[in-house]
Amino acid sequence: MQEFPADQIHITEGFWQQRQTINAKKAIFHQWVMLEASGCIDNFRIAAGEKDGFREGWFFADSDATKWLDAASRIERIEHDEELCRLMDELIRLLGKVQADDGYLFTYNQLHFPGQRWVNLQIEHELYCHGHLIEAGVSHYEATGREDMLTIAKKAADLLVRDFLAAGPQSTPGHEEVEIALLRLWKITSDNRYKALAEHFLDNRGKTKRFGIHLMRQLASNTERGKTVEKARIDHATRHPGAIHSRVPAANQAKKPRLIQPRYFLNTLSGKFFQQHKTVGEQTVPVGHAVRFGYLQTAQGMRLGADPDSGNLKTMEAVWERMVNRRMDVTGGVGALPLIEGFGRDYELDPECAYNETCAAIASLLWNWQLTQLTGKMKFADLFEWQLYNAVLVGMGWNGDTYLYNNPTRCRGGITRQPWYSVPCCPSNLSRTFADLGKYIYGADGQDFWVNQYISSVSPLSYLNGFHIELQSELPWRGTVYMTVHTPHSQTCNIHLRLPSWAGGIRIAINDQDLPLLPVPTGAETTASGVSPQKAGEQILSREWQDGDLIQMNFDLPIRVLEPDQKVRGVRGRIAVTRGPLVYCLESVDNPEIDIFNCRIDESSLHFDETKAILDGVSTICGSTIDEKEARFIPYACWGNRGPSGMNVWVGR
């Protein structure tokens, strides 16, 4: 399935246009302010010799700035903004000034350990940071056609090729990401060295002998280096008594289960945390750090798209099934365990400890998109939608200036939206995703045209000599979708429509003539969370299309209650309330008269209520408890926007 560039698809109205507007007009500028306030941008000014000060943030803080540049570039690609361009130019100038002549750019070493490179690759994220630098260069070039940032990216990539193309398994990155960057760079430059290095990293993963010993040495080195940096910080504070000791905000909070510390050490020393325990082709179970896992699978999917013989697609699909059926939360969130920030055992989905990092959901989106393109199977596009509306959307506050890092499905307090975090990887990742949303809506291959997502938009004009679709969607609040065909002359095309797994009844009509529906898949395995994207169907409309042909789809949006598998402790006998692609929750601010954690809901009382909207048009579900007290559910993605509160997805019945 061919991917259309995001700038060829215009999102026209409705729910997702509003989110894109908040992203482009508010969120991306707020993120820049926070990068300045936390000292991240000043790190580059210090390294460039333009400012005195002490480097702030984690060793991987450079990636927070370059990922912002990546996000800003993707926004600029779909809508020009002079102020955004000015900020991008300032950062590009600094990156060019700090970058070493041979392409190296990692301020942690450049400022604290001049002359040291590639010291602790499993831990210190040097390759990860260079990956985001490269992606920023690709995105900026695609947005502007300019080559100044692309030149910086290519210099960095050329250095990686020289230093790592012939290196052994111990030199694979500890945090996958650079593989995606190299494959993106290869696509726009046709320089096969970049593709070869991405493949080299993928092929050598999981081949380090005695990985635990190798990691322990790096942990010891990282600890000593950290002590050196802290001593330098204290010395700097002594010499500059008026300076702020640290400008980095607090870390996010997360409730931790028993024995998580020893489990974390076992997970890391075994290599599972890094997906280093087996080769990529031998990994059949989702394990370890969930963001790393998603980026690894995405890179492997990109590789398969370029060379179908480079791996086993069936193995990748089996890993996806294992994740969905046994290791995914009801919101589509993945990575249940804090500290590990990753997968637990099968059916280990504690609602209060659930980590479900926003970046992990985004990584899963990227993977689902690769699988959608590789197979054309609607279950992957269906999970993409579910995760987008729930596990991803929840990460950004409704006004674009607050964020959630981890996303449990039950919160008794302590987790609130914050303007920034000490590890601010999620905000710019969200902005990248929302800016790029258009490219996930459609796909094409010859005479076949796919509608993967029902988001109001106009499809590319470049397909089949001007054949395109104007799509109007009332989702997620109402289930009506209209698609108007535009074509300069009659022509044959097969339009593939996804029949969502969440829909009740479905009606499809062409020019007011109803069509019989194809049967949807049945017999899917019962999943841990009750979410079954495998039940998504497909309708193929094959005909000679005329200009103005109208396709109408009507999805019934009943209120559904999802039941978890009995193996999921902590939510047995409970239900999650959903409607359409949205998971709903109780938030304490709306329910002062009931105990949202222990109440029992009268399912027959539940009804959709557009008259009791929150947050400028977000509709709710109302009902009552079995003791006849009013209960009000809001979309899970919207919780925490009205001050500190408790929240619960899994309610009694």
Side-chain angles (χ1 to χ4, degrees):
M1 184 189 300
Q2 173 191 348
E3 173 184 290
F4 296 114
D7 60 346
Q8 290 188 16
I9 299 166
H10 179 51
I11 294 178
T12 53
E13 61 184 5
F15 185 89
W16 284 109
Q17 186 194 53
Q18 292 174 348
R19 293 295 91 206
Q20 280 200 326
T21 299
I22 289 292
N23 188 45
K25 302 302 182 184
K26 181 71 174 290
I28 196 68
F29 292 103
H30 169 80
Q31 291 164 24
W32 177 267
V33 170
M34 292 295 101
L35 288 168
E36 287 278 27
S38 62
C40 183
I41 305 301
D42 275 348
N43 290 343
F44 298 99
R45 296 187 179 110
I46 295 167
E50 296 182 0
K51 187 172 185 177
D52 292 330
F54 194 84
R55 185 189 181 277
E56 297 282 2
W58 287 82
F59 35 76
F60 48 78
D62 290 3
S63 65
D64 300 324
T66 53
K67 198 191 300 184
W68 178 90
L69 177 57
D70 185 359
S73 298
R74 298 186 199 211
I75 290 171
E76 174 65 19
R77 189 176 186 182
I78 60 175
E79 184 177 0
H80 176 64
D81 187 288
E82 288 289 342
E83 176 62 12
L84 191 61
C85 286
R86 185 189 69 78
L87 296 176
M88 287 194 292
D89 287 347
E90 167 64 6
L91 182 53
I92 292 169
R93 182 190 69 79
L94 287 169
L95 293 171
K97 194 168 183 180
V98 174
Q99 187 176 39
D101 291 341
D102 65 355
Y104 187 78
L105 207 169
F106 189 62
T107 62
Y108 184 72
N109 277 344
Q110 287 172 287
L111 287 172
H112 295 313
F113 306 100
Q116 293 188 28
R117 294 183 180 184
W118 322 128
V119 178
N120 297 311
L121 290 176
Q122 295 307 305
I123 301 169
E124 292 184 1
H125 292 45
E126 276 173 280
L127 291 171
Y128 173 86
C129 286
H130 281 83
H132 277 302
L133 177 73
I134 293 167
E135 281 215 78
V138 173
S139 295
H140 188 264
Y141 173 75
E142 290 175 335
T144 67
R146 287 168 37 187
E147 296 195 7
D148 47 350
M149 185 60 207
L150 182 63
T151 298
I152 293 172
K154 288 167 66 176
K155 283 178 65 176
D158 291 344
L159 171 67
L160 301 187
V161 169
R162 290 194 300 271
D163 285 2
F164 291 101
L165 190 54
Q170 291 189 352
S171 295
T172 50
H175 194 313
E176 301 93 324
E177 202 285 330
V178 69
E179 302 89 342
I180 295 172
L182 289 164
L183 288 169
R184 286 190 66 201
L185 185 61
W186 163 68
K187 281 188 176 181
I188 67 165
T189 64
S190 299
D191 190 328
N192 288 327
R193 297 176 305 148
Y194 305 143
K195 178 173 180 285
L197 181 56
E199 293 172 336
H200 177 79
F201 283 143
L202 291 169
D203 289 340
N204 279 276
R205 194 157 210 89
K207 293 182 178 180
T208 300
K209 295 180 180 179
R210 297 184 293 277
F211 178 83
I213 296 174
H214 174 65
L215 180 65
M216 288 179 68
R217 290 170 179 158
Q218 292 203 6
L219 286 169
S221 171
N222 172 253
T223 299
E224 289 303 312
R225 281 158 59 87
K227 290 178 181 177
T228 299
V229 173
E230 187 57 28
K231 183 178 182 301
R233 178 184 293 279
I234 294 171
D235 291 344
H236 182 270
T238 301
R239 296 194 307 271
H240 303 82
I244 300 174
H245 185 62
S246 176
R247 294 156 61 185
V248 177
N252 60 295
Q253 297 186 37
K255 182 178 178 180
K256 296 179 175 60
R258 291 178 62 250
L259 302 177
I260 190 62
Q261 193 75 44
R263 289 182 67 182
Y264 168 75
F265 283 116
L266 288 172
N267 205 271
T268 54
L269 292 175
S270 68
K272 290 181 179 179
F273 179 84
F274 309 93
Q275 294 79 46
Q276 292 277 26
H277 61 299
K278 293 180 180 179
T279 63
V280 175
E282 295 172 326
Q283 295 187 32
T284 58
V285 178
V287 297
H289 191 272
V291 182
R292 287 168 163 91
F293 168 83
Y295 286 166
L296 174 64
Q297 297 296 330
T298 298
Q300 182 68 359
M302 294 170 70
R303 181 185 183 182
L304 283 169
D307 181 5
D309 296 326
S310 61
N312 190 333
L313 181 57
K314 290 184 178 180
T315 299
M316 182 177 286
E317 291 193 61
V319 176
W320 183 90
E321 290 284 349
R322 181 67 171 267
M323 181 187 78
V324 172
N325 293 340
R326 304 186 192 183
R327 300 191 174 190
M328 187 183 79
D329 217 325
V330 68
T331 59
V334 292
L337 296 181
L339 195 59
I340 293 173
E341 299 186 347
F343 296 98
R345 307 180 187 97
D346 288 348
Y347 305 104
E348 188 177 14
L349 300 169
D350 184 291
E352 290 187 57
C353 296
Y355 202 70
N356 297 342
E357 183 185 338
T358 302
C359 282
I362 292 171
S364 189
L365 284 193
L366 299 176
W367 182 30
N368 276 296
W369 178 234
Q370 293 304 316
L371 285 166
T372 300
Q373 293 178 89
L374 289 168
T375 68
K377 294 178 181 178
M378 290 300 178
K379 63 182 179 180
F380 302 120
D382 202 73
L383 180 57
F384 181 104
E385 177 188 54
W386 192 265
Q387 292 179 318
L388 177 66
Y389 273 103
N390 299 292
V392 172
L393 184 60
V394 69
M396 183 182 288
W398 211 243
N399 293 326
D401 57 1
T402 58
Y403 302 90
L404 288 173
Y405 188 100
N406 52 306
N407 300 286
T409 52
R410 183 184 297 156
C411 174
R412 299 180 188 271
I415 297 175
T416 57
R417 295 185 181 274
Q418 300 291 341
W420 211 239
Y421 293 100
S422 62
V423 181
C425 54
C426 301
S428 54
N429 220 359
L430 286 160
S431 287
R432 296 198 308 170
T433 303
F434 294 158
D436 256 3
L437 192 56
K439 77 177 188 181
Y440 304 116
I441 300 175
Y442 307 101
D445 182 19
Q447 299 293 118
D448 291 276
F449 187 88
W450 281 264
V451 181
N452 300 303
Q453 305 299 329
Y454 297 110
I455 296 173
S456 295
S457 55
V458 178
S459 71
L461 305 179
S462 59
Y463 175 67
L464 282 183
N465 301 314
F467 176 98
H468 66 283
I469 286 176
E470 183 178 353
L471 191 157
Q472 294 174 290
S473 171
E474 296 182 355
L475 289 171
W477 314 123
R478 289 173 289 279
T480 303
V481 175
Y482 296 98
M483 285 171 276
T484 304
V485 173
H486 297 285
T487 178
H489 52 82
S490 61
Q491 50 187 320
T492 300
C493 174
N494 306 314
I495 299 179
H496 298 247
L497 302 176
R498 177 174 57 89
L499 307 182
S501 63
W502 45 258
I506 300 175
R507 172 179 175 259
I508 302 178
I510 300 179
N511 300 329
D512 291 326
Q513 298 295 311
D514 286 355
L515 301 179
L517 294 183
L518 296 175
V520 298
T522 58
E525 180 181 334
T526 301
T527 66
S529 65
V531 177
S532 298
Q534 299 95 326
K535 294 180 180 178
E538 180 180 32
Q539 189 84 2
I540 304 175
L541 309 182
S542 301
R543 60 183 283 154
E544 186 173 332
W545 297 96
Q546 309 293 326
D547 188 53
D549 280 344
L550 178 65
I551 304 166
Q552 182 174 347
M553 303 183 75
N554 290 96
F555 304 123
D556 288 343
L557 302 180
I559 294 172
R560 297 188 305 146
V561 295
L562 301 183
E563 301 179 35
D565 192 288
Q566 289 298 304
K567 299 184 187 71
V568 183
R569 293 184 295 177
V571 294
R572 289 174 184 156
R574 291 177 173 265
I575 56 171
V577 175
T578 72
R579 181 179 182 270
L582 295 175
V583 175
Y584 283 72
C585 68
L586 293 174
E587 190 171 11
S588 58
V589 67
D590 299 308
N591 299 280
E593 302 300 321
I594 64 174
D595 179 353
I596 66 172
F597 305 108
N598 296 300
C599 65
R600 296 170 62 193
I601 298 297
D602 177 3
E603 296 173 42
S604 65
S605 71
L606 296 172
H607 59 281
F608 184 61
D609 192 338
E610 293 187 86
T611 66
K612 295 184 178 180
I614 63 169
L615 301 175
D616 189 27
V618 174
S619 297
T620 63
I621 290 175
C622 293
S624 61
T625 63
I626 60 171
D627 55 355
E628 299 184 344
K629 292 181 179 178
E630 182 179 353
R632 186 182 184 197
F633 292 79
I634 68 167
Y636 170 77
C638 299
W639 88 274
N641 278 281
R642 294 166 292 167
S645 60
M647 177 275 297
N648 188 27
V649 168
W650 294 106
V651 296
R653 67 192 314 183

